Amino acid sequence: MSSLKGWKDLPPATTVPASTSEAVQTGQWRSMRPVWDEEKCIHCLQCWIQCPDKSIKANADGKVTGIDYFYCKGCGICAAVCPKNAIEMRPEAEFIEQ
């Protein structure tokens, strides 16, 4: 027979250390990949401003330089806000070899 009398007798739950997207390769969750077209880009930084994962790379001159796929979850916000359609969402399966 168990010595536990109620929920208060249960051992403490195991805790998992907190983490941020900076420490976790969240890009592995992606099913769609944003593909940036440098020629179409006017560097308005709307994609950089709206990206919830800080995946849009920009330099000190305020120019977009690419996408950090390590963190990008493929939400498509960057493509949706781009006024020049310089970001296209494509299936991640197209990039399996990369």
Side-chain angles (χ1 to χ4, degrees):
M1 189 170 228
S2 174
S3 63
L4 298 176
K5 296 176 184 164
W7 67 270
K8 291 182 182 180
D9 296 320
L10 293 173
T14 303
T15 59
V16 177
S19 189
T20 67
S21 64
E22 293 174 350
V24 179
Q25 185 175 357
T26 55
Q28 293 179 346
W29 306 343
R30 187 176 54 247
S31 62
M32 296 294 286
R33 175 185 287 219
V35 177
W36 174 62
D37 185 337
E38 186 174 6
E39 291 182 20
K40 290 182 181 178
C41 183
I42 60 171
H43 305 282
C44 66
L45 298 177
Q46 286 302 308
C47 57
W48 181 81
I49 292 166
Q50 297 296 324
C51 180
D53 296 308
K54 299 181 183 179
S55 297
I56 304 298
K57 296 182 195 176
N59 63 21
D61 296 328
K63 304 265 185 191
V64 174
T65 60
I67 299 170
D68 187 340
Y69 295 114
F70 187 86
Y71 301 116
C72 173
K73 293 185 186 84
C75 68
I77 292 173
C78 56
V81 300
C82 181
K84 296 296 183 178
N85 296 317
I87 301 176
E88 174 187 1
M89 298 303 293
R90 298 186 37 205
E92 189 64 35
E94 291 180 14
F95 304 94
I96 290 174
E97 296 297 319
Q98 295 180 357

